[in-house]
Every structure is written in C-alpha cells, then in structure tokens.
C-alpha cells in the first residue's frame, strides 16, 4: 500500500536522530554512523512510497542503517575491537523490534543524549552548534552555512572535524557538572533549530512545522532535566509564544502575512497561556538572560488585542536591556523596529544605518529598512529596498512578499 510522501518525510525527520543515537550508542563511531543513517533514510524515501510505511519504522531504519554500518566497519582493521567495545555499551534489545503495537523507547531519550554529545566541551562553540544542527536538527550543510553567514565548504569542513573529534566518546547523558557546561551551546542550538523551522531560510515553504515541533519537544526534555534553570524555561516560553502565531502567518496560497496584518483569532491561545506562565516563572529564576527577555517581548506581542494596541514602549525598554546584556545584530535590528514604533520611522532608520556593517547582505536588514522608508513616505527608496531584500533571500514566500510590497509602491 502506498504512503503519503508528506507523512514519510515527517517520520524520517522524527526518527533520524533517534536512529543515529541508537547506532552511536552501540558503535561509538559518529561519522560512519551518520553516513549509514543517511543511506537508510534514502532507502526509506525510495521504498516506502510504493511499499508502504513499515509497522515499526524506527526499527526498520535501525536495521538497515546497522547493516550498512557493519559493512563499513568490517572493512576496517580494528573491526573486532570496535565491536567488542560496542557490545559492552549496547542494551541487549537495542536492535530487536518491539512486539506489534508496542513502541519501545530507550530508558533515556536518544535524541537528547545525542544533543548533549554534539555539544561536548571538547568542541569549539561554533562546531558544537554546526554538528547538532546537522545530526539532531536534520538541516543540510548549506542551510547551516546560510544561518551562520559562512561559505558551504567552510561549514562542511567544520562539521567533518567535529565528527572526528567526538569519535569514540561514550554515548550517555553527561553528569550534572558537565551538563551545565554544555547547556549554553545546547540552548543556542535548539533556538537555531526552532528559528529554521519557524522561518525557513530557503525553499518553497515559509514554515517547517516538524522542525519547530522537534525543537519544542527537545526544549521540554531539557526543562525536565533542569526545571529550575531560567534560561531553559525562558527558551521554551519563547518558542511557544512565537510558534503560537504560526497558523496566521500565511494565507491560503502560502503567502506571507506580516505580524501587524495577522488574524489574531487564529493564534493558539493555549500555547500563549502556557508560554506566558513560563515567562513569569522564568523571570523568577535568577537574572533575566536573552531567552527570558525575548520571551517577555513575545508575550507582549501575543497579549496585545491588536497591532495598534501593542505596548511598544515596554517592548523597546526590554530591547534596551537585551541589547545591553547580550549585544547581537538581530536583537539590535528588533530594537531598531521598536525604536521606530515609539519615536518614528526616521529614528528607526538611524538605528538601521548603524547595523549595516554587522548585517551586510542580510535581507532582514534591508526589508526593515524598506518598511521604515515606506512609513517615512520615501516610496522610491522603499521600493528599491524591497526589491533588494527580495533578491537577497532564498525563501520563496519571503521573496514573493517583498516583491509584492515593491510593486504596490510602483507609480
């Protein structure tokens, strides 16, 4: 029986990090394990549309990837030593399928264990993030390179070196002290995965719901480990409050709808209520960091009855604190927008001009500039800026939206 391609894609994205975790748990050989998993995913993508999804898709992927990895390891001189080591690490039932109807999961979430492995302190922060986005988030090397504004070849080398560095490390949850040392990298990675899911950097679709949902799931898992950590609570709140607007962000044909034009009745009120509660909790868990502050900003947007009723002075005050504590170009761009909403578009344009060096070539800077030029009445310059921003983005919905805004300003 044939299967829906969309469902297959979702299953593969869900199970890929779990299957990689199972192989790394047994073999302790990250780079070859990832190659084997990729081949298993390819085999599934080719076979399942015609033959149907197997009863236990995760077990199917593990078996296929395991066979491929065994072939790779057999060709190496140290095969016996690796297999002996792996045998001591593997649970007895790691490679057997559960009975029909039963969905057995490892005692620890393999995906969460994989997440902390990729954020090993032996790796540089940039390598931690890149490797996790690849192995856990399922992003391509090109997508990760775009998110970090570096050439694809540079990112490929960074990921390859990171794989080699963690090769042979035991696959287990870190201890408390080690876990705390990795936490900042883990949270940054989850934030980047969520952002790529909420607004894809390229492709036909604005939103990759599966990626955003996986980031939220992992953030919940980390919070279960560290319920008193304000940064974790704040990040989960930020994700929920942001994702709550997803249904209203696109029109019937996939077109982008900006925040101030969205139908707020389509926002997920349950997610907003949970996110708001978590923001309040996070702000009691020590000094407010970037995630808590961004979550507080998101809560103000979500609680506003309308675009006109948004508390922009309070949002600007929060951005002032955010930029002072954690100066970062995109946070500063958000502050520029808030400045324009409080003090007028010309004040916002002055702030945008200060960010040109740090965000050179970034379509978001150019689109904000276009919007503020339009509000300031400089329609010719706004039209040019919209077209420039459209040329910079690789997202088809964003490019269409920006071109439409430019066309609307045409004489």
């Amino acid at each position: 029986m044939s299967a829906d391609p969309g469902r297959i894609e979702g299953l593969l994205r869900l199970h890929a990090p779990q299957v990689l975790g199972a192989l790394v748990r047994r073999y302790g050989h990250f780079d070859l394990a990832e190659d084997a998993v990729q081949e298993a995913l390819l085999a599934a993508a080719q076979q399942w549309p015609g033959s149907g999804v197997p009863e236990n898709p995760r077990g199917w992927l593990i078996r296929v990837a395991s066979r491929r990895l065994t072939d790779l390891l057999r060709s190496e001189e140290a095969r016996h030593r690796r297999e002996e080591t792996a045998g001591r690490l593997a649970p007895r039932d790691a490679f057997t399928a559960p009975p029909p109807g039963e969905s057995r999961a490892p005692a620890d979430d393999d995906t969460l264990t994989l997440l902390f492995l990729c954020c090993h302190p032996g790796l540089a922060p940039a390598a931690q993030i890149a490797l996790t986005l690849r192995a856990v988030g399922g992003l391509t090397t090109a997508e990760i390179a775009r998110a970090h504004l570096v050439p694809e070849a540079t990112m490929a080398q960074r990921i390859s070196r990171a794989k080699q560095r963690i090769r042979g490390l035991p696959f287990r949850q870190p201890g408390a002290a080690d876990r705390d040392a990795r936490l900042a990298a883990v949270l940054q990675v989850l934030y980047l995965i969520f952002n790529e899911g909420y607004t894809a950097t390229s492709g036909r679709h604005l939103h990759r719901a599966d990626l955003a949902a996986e980031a939220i799931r992992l953030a919940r898992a980390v919070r279960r480990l560290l319920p008193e950590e304000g940064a974790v609570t704040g990040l989960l709140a930020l994700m929920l409050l942001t994702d709550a607007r997803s249904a209203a962000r696109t029109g019937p044909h996939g077109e982008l709808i900006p925040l101030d034009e969205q139908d707020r009745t389509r926002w997920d009120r349950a997610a907003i209520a949970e996110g708001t509660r978590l923001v309040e909790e996070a702000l009691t868990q020590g000094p407010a960091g970037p995630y808590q502050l961004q979550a507080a900003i998101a809560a103000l947007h979500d609680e506003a009855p309308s675009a006109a009723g948004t508390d922009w002075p309070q949002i600007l005050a929060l951005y002032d604190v955010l930029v002072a504590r954690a100066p970062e170009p995109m946070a500063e761009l958000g502050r520029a927008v808030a400045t324009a909403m409080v003090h007028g578009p010309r004040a916002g344009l002055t702030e945008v001009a200060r960010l040109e060096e740090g965000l050179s070539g970034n379509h978001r800077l150019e689109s904000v500039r276009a919007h503020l030029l339009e509000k300031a009445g400089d329609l010719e310059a706004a039209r040019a800026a919209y077209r420039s921003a459209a040329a910079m983005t690789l997202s088809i919905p964003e490019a269409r939206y920006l071109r439409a805004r430019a066309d609307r300003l045409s004489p």
Side-chain angles (χ1 to χ4, degrees):
M1 181 184 297
S2 62
D4 174 57
R7 176 173 178 254
I8 290 175
E9 182 180 354
L11 284 171
L12 294 181
R13 183 174 294 281
L14 171 66
H15 291 302
Q18 299 172 5
V19 174
L20 178 57
L23 265 66
V24 175
R25 181 188 294 277
R26 179 175 183 184
Y27 291 96
H29 205 303
F30 190 101
D31 50 347
L32 291 181
E34 192 192 26
D35 290 343
V37 170
Q38 291 302 315
E39 292 197 25
L41 295 174
L42 179 59
Q46 292 173 339
Q47 295 179 31
W48 292 1
S51 62
V53 176
E55 184 176 358
N56 179 18
R58 178 176 177 270
W60 188 99
L61 290 167
I62 288 176
R63 287 194 296 274
V64 173
S66 178
R67 285 198 295 268
R68 178 55 183 151
L69 182 55
T70 300
D71 290 341
L72 294 171
L73 292 174
R74 188 175 289 121
S75 66
E76 297 192 4
E77 194 173 0
R79 173 177 62 87
H80 293 295
R81 177 169 51 81
R82 286 196 185 93
E83 290 180 349
E84 289 171 1
T85 301
R88 292 193 297 271
L89 294 174
R92 185 179 300 274
D93 63 352
F95 287 84
T96 59
E102 180 180 334
S103 178
R104 185 190 65 238
D108 294 318
D109 186 326
D110 273 347
T111 306
L112 189 59
T113 304
L114 183 63
L115 178 64
F116 277 98
L117 176 64
C118 291
C119 293
H120 191 277
L123 298 174
Q128 292 173 335
I129 293 167
L131 183 60
T132 311
L133 290 172
R134 182 75 181 88
V136 180
L139 274 66
T140 66
T141 303
E143 289 171 333
I144 302 169
R146 284 195 293 272
H148 286 77
L149 305 178
V150 300
E152 184 176 350
T154 300
M155 186 56 66
Q157 291 177 351
R158 184 179 299 173
I159 293 172
S160 178
R161 287 194 297 266
K163 289 179 187 178
Q164 291 298 320
R165 188 67 183 267
I166 66 171
R167 182 176 181 176
L169 293 176
F171 189 79
R172 59 172 179 257
Q173 287 274 349
D178 192 17
R179 184 178 60 210
D180 290 345
R182 304 186 200 187
L183 184 61
V186 166
L187 297 183
Q188 186 176 5
V189 165
L190 292 181
Y191 184 48
L192 289 171
I193 292 174
F194 175 80
N195 284 342
E196 179 63 27
Y198 187 70
T199 304
T201 56
S202 64
R204 298 171 57 85
H205 302 290
L206 181 70
H207 187 219
R208 296 171 63 175
D210 54 348
L211 207 53
E214 179 67 3
I216 291 172
R217 187 188 75 82
L218 289 171
R220 290 189 187 279
V222 176
R223 186 168 182 268
R224 284 194 294 272
L225 284 175
L226 302 168
E228 303 300 323
E229 177 59 56
V232 178
T233 305
L235 178 59
L236 178 57
L238 174 60
M239 290 179 179
L240 291 170
L241 290 164
T242 304
D243 197 55
R245 309 178 204 131
S246 295
R249 294 179 69 225
T250 54
H253 304 293
E255 65 273 21
L256 186 153
I257 301 176
L259 179 63
D260 59 351
E261 298 176 15
Q262 289 175 14
D263 177 1
R264 297 180 180 228
T265 65
R266 299 185 64 198
W267 289 1
D268 185 340
R269 291 295 157 185
I272 291 173
E274 182 184 3
T276 301
R277 178 182 59 78
L278 288 172
V279 169
E280 295 171 354
E281 183 178 337
L283 293 175
T284 69
Q285 296 176 324
Y291 300 122
Q292 296 97 308
L293 291 168
Q294 289 180 79
I297 291 169
L300 287 171
H301 280 297
D302 287 8
E303 292 175 331
S306 64
T310 303
D311 189 351
W312 282 107
Q314 181 64 21
I315 289 175
L316 178 57
L318 288 169
Y319 268 120
D320 286 339
V321 177
L322 174 60
V323 169
R325 294 186 181 179
E328 189 272 327
M330 295 310 296
E332 293 177 353
L333 186 60
R335 181 183 177 277
V337 173
T339 298
M341 298 304 295
V342 175
H343 299 297
R346 290 295 175 188
L349 285 166
T350 299
E351 296 300 317
V352 167
R354 294 173 182 167
L355 302 176
E356 289 181 355
E357 183 177 351
L359 288 172
S360 176
N362 188 294
H363 78 280
R364 300 198 189 285
L365 176 73
E366 199 66 9
S367 63
V368 167
R369 188 202 315 275
H371 178 65
L372 297 183
L373 285 168
E374 181 181 354
K375 290 178 71 70
D378 192 344
L379 302 188
E380 183 176 352
R383 186 165 57 249
Y386 277 128
R387 287 175 177 160
S388 175
M392 292 176 183
T393 183
L394 296 175
S395 167
I396 294 174
E398 286 189 321
R400 286 175 177 165
Y401 167 77
L402 292 166
R403 286 194 295 266
R405 299 284 294 200
D407 293 342
R408 192 182 68 178
L409 300 179
S410 298

